[in-house]
């Protein structure tokens, strides 16, 4: 059973499964507490909302009071993953870790660069018939991102593709898996056959693949499908720890299902 808000359960050796509520239809994000020699590293944070902060305060009382938080690892740029990184950093005095590309995107959102991109995007939308200003501004204004996050954390470590990270008794390998978000990192522990998959592989829904106006990847769907094949090469009995839904085994079957779905959709478009 999924843990209650602010609670966690052991799901794999040295890993606890926690849940932080979100003020959205997709009402939760799974966060992973990875045991270190002298505390925890938490993977992802939830969105900057009072329900998320309340849940973290419970986690702090229940777990961090006994074994302190040592770092926050962010899988990718989206607000439900990075939203409370700065808040946790300020509250508990811990470093934040992410990929360099995630940091670049976050910096663009919080600086004036995001507004410049938005102005161009607004012209693009209008030229294609999207004239409802409320719709454009509700969905794409840079300050929408800022409202869902607790501002820019200070990043003290960048993690690159295939870089090894040792936390406690476990050795994790960072796998850059683009498509859903540029700079998206999964964490694989081959010895324990565990994959923290972020939003790249979810058990019952397909990840959003979009070409955004700040993207540098001209073919995000191609990147996503390639990344899926990379993950498919992991051990067949890998335990997948996704950002939404429940942990599952059957990674290769799930990759095949997702790939087949996209191939069918592309065939429809071609036809």
């Amino acid at each position: 059973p999924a843990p209650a808000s602010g609670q966690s359960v052991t799901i794999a050796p040295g890993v606890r499964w926690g849940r932080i509520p979100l003020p959205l239809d997709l009402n939760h994000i799974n966060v992973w507490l990875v045991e270190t020699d002298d505390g925890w590293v938490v993977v992802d944070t939830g969105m900057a909302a009072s329900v998320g902060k309340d849940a973290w305060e419970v986690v702090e009382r229940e777990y961090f009071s006994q074994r302190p938080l040592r770092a926050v690892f962010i899988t990718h740029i989206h607000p439900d993953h990075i939203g409370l990184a700065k808040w946790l950093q300020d509250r508990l005095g811990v470093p934040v870790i992410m990929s360099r590309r995630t940091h670049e995107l976050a910096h663009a959102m919080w600086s004036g660069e995001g507004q410049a991109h938005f102005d161009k995007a607004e012209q693009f939308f209008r030229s294609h018939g999207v004239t409802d200003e409320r719709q454009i501004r509700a969905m794409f204004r840079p300050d929408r991102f800022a409202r869902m996050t607790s501002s820019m954390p200070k990043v003290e470590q960048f993690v690159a593709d295939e870089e090894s990270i040792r936390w406690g008794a476990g050795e994790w390998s960072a796998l850059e898996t683009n498509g859903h978000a540029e700079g998206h990192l999964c964490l694989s522990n081959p010895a324990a056959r565990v994959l923290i998959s972020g939003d790249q592989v979810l058990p019952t829904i397909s990840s959003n693949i979009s070409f955004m106006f700040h993207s540098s990847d001209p073919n995000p769907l191609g990147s996503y499908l390639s990344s899926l094949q990379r993950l498919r090469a992991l051990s067949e009995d890998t335990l997948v720890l996704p950002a939404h839904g429940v942990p599952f085994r059957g990674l290769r079957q799930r990759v095949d299902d997702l790939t087949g779905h996209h191939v069918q959709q592309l065939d429809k478009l071609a036809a």
Side-chain angles (χ1 to χ4, degrees):
S5 174
Q7 301 298 314
S8 71
V9 296
T10 298
I11 192 67
V15 183
R16 295 186 70 87
W17 171 22
R19 270 205 170 168
I20 302 298
L22 299 174
L24 305 169
D25 290 339
L26 188 61
N27 62 10
H28 72 274
I29 182 172
N30 297 323
V31 296
W32 311 102
L33 280 66
V34 182
E35 193 171 356
T36 70
D37 292 333
D38 59 351
W40 303 102
V41 172
V42 69
V43 179
D44 288 336
T45 69
M47 193 177 290
S50 58
V51 290
K53 293 177 181 178
D54 291 345
W56 277 117
E57 288 172 359
V58 174
V59 174
E60 184 179 348
R61 289 195 302 270
E62 295 288 328
Y63 303 103
F64 299 159
S65 60
Q66 302 166 32
R67 293 180 60 84
L69 183 65
R70 296 301 184 189
V72 175
F73 183 97
I74 301 300
T75 58
H76 63 289
I77 183 63
H78 294 151
D80 53 329
H81 296 259
I82 198 175
L84 285 171
K86 172 65 170 173
W87 182 80
L88 285 170
Q89 183 174 58
D90 289 347
R91 185 179 181 88
L92 299 172
V94 295
V96 173
I97 306 167
M98 63 182 68
S99 72
R100 192 171 293 276
R101 181 57 179 154
T102 295
H103 180 262
E104 290 171 353
L105 291 169
H107 181 266
M109 287 293 184
W110 276 296
S111 70
E113 294 176 42
Q115 184 61 47
H117 283 297
F118 172 73
D119 291 342
K120 292 179 181 178
E122 187 172 14
Q123 295 172 18
F124 174 80
F125 294 135
R126 291 185 184 283
S127 73
H128 286 270
V130 182
T131 57
D132 186 337
E133 186 167 322
R134 291 173 301 174
Q135 181 184 17
I136 296 172
R137 294 184 175 272
M139 289 300 296
F140 297 104
R141 280 185 64 88
D143 56 8
R144 177 174 181 263
F145 178 85
R147 287 196 305 272
M148 295 186 285
T149 58
S150 55
S151 80
M152 183 75 185
K154 181 182 178 184
V155 180
E156 300 186 23
Q157 181 182 349
F158 295 114
V159 175
D161 184 34
E162 297 189 350
E163 185 171 334
S164 293
I165 308 169
R166 178 165 288 280
W167 289 325
E171 186 165 348
W172 298 82
S173 178
L175 302 175
E176 185 169 327
T177 49
N178 293 304
H180 172 68
E182 292 178 45
H184 185 292
L185 293 176
C186 296
L187 289 169
S188 172
N189 184 331
R193 297 189 294 280
V194 173
L195 174 71
I196 298 177
S197 66
D199 277 351
Q200 200 70 11
V201 182
L202 302 172
T204 59
I205 59 175
S206 57
S207 304
N208 181 288
I209 311 299
S210 299
F211 183 78
M212 302 298 291
F213 56 84
H214 55 268
S215 296
S216 62
D217 182 354
N219 185 6
L221 182 55
S223 298
Y224 178 70
L225 295 175
S226 296
S227 295
L228 287 181
Q229 291 306 308
R230 184 182 190 190
L231 297 179
R232 194 184 188 282
L234 297 176
S235 176
E236 190 168 7
D237 61 346
T238 294
L239 175 64
V240 182
L241 307 182
H244 307 284
V246 297
F248 67 96
R249 286 189 171 85
L251 174 61
R252 292 179 184 175
Q253 181 61 55
R254 185 63 182 141
V255 165
D256 292 346
D257 289 345
L258 290 166
T259 302
H261 163 75
H262 282 290
V263 169
Q264 287 180 349
Q265 299 299 94
L266 292 170
D267 286 345
K268 286 183 181 179
L269 284 172

